[in-house]
Amino acid sequence: MTFGSTVRLEDEAGKEVRYWIVGSDEADPARGRISIHSPLARTLIGKHVGDNVTAQLPGGKKTFDILEVNFAWSD
């Protein structure tokens, strides 16, 4: 996973989320666009589908399974 990647994740509770890793000026977390400099994006860079990651987020540690990477993004 790199800058510009789209990613679909599943958290410990089974909730799926999707993000697009973008530049700081394009970030809009409410729309799923996270900055390359965000804690979650930094944790995801270099990872692959099937990996399990734990990110230190502002609300505490959260673990995700990476389900899909680089799918077509549509709003």
Side-chain angles (χ1 to χ4, degrees):
M1 195 169 324
T2 63
F3 176 80
S5 291
T6 53
V7 60
R8 191 166 55 94
L9 308 171
E10 182 176 24
D11 69 13
E12 306 100 327
K15 179 182 175 188
E16 288 189 19
V17 292
R18 66 182 190 139
Y19 295 107
W20 185 1
I21 300 174
V22 298
S24 297
D25 58 327
E26 301 171 288
D28 185 353
R31 294 182 60 209
R33 295 177 170 149
I34 60 172
S35 167
I36 186 74
H37 302 293
S38 70
L40 181 55
R42 287 190 318 241
T43 299
L44 292 170
I45 296 299
K47 303 299 188 285
H48 305 279
V49 171
D51 288 349
N52 181 274
V53 297
T54 300
Q56 181 63 50
L57 305 177
K61 287 186 180 180
K62 195 157 185 178
T63 301
F64 299 94
D65 290 322
I66 301 174
L67 302 177
E68 188 177 13
V69 175
N70 292 329
F71 56 89
W73 184 269
S74 60
D75 283 328

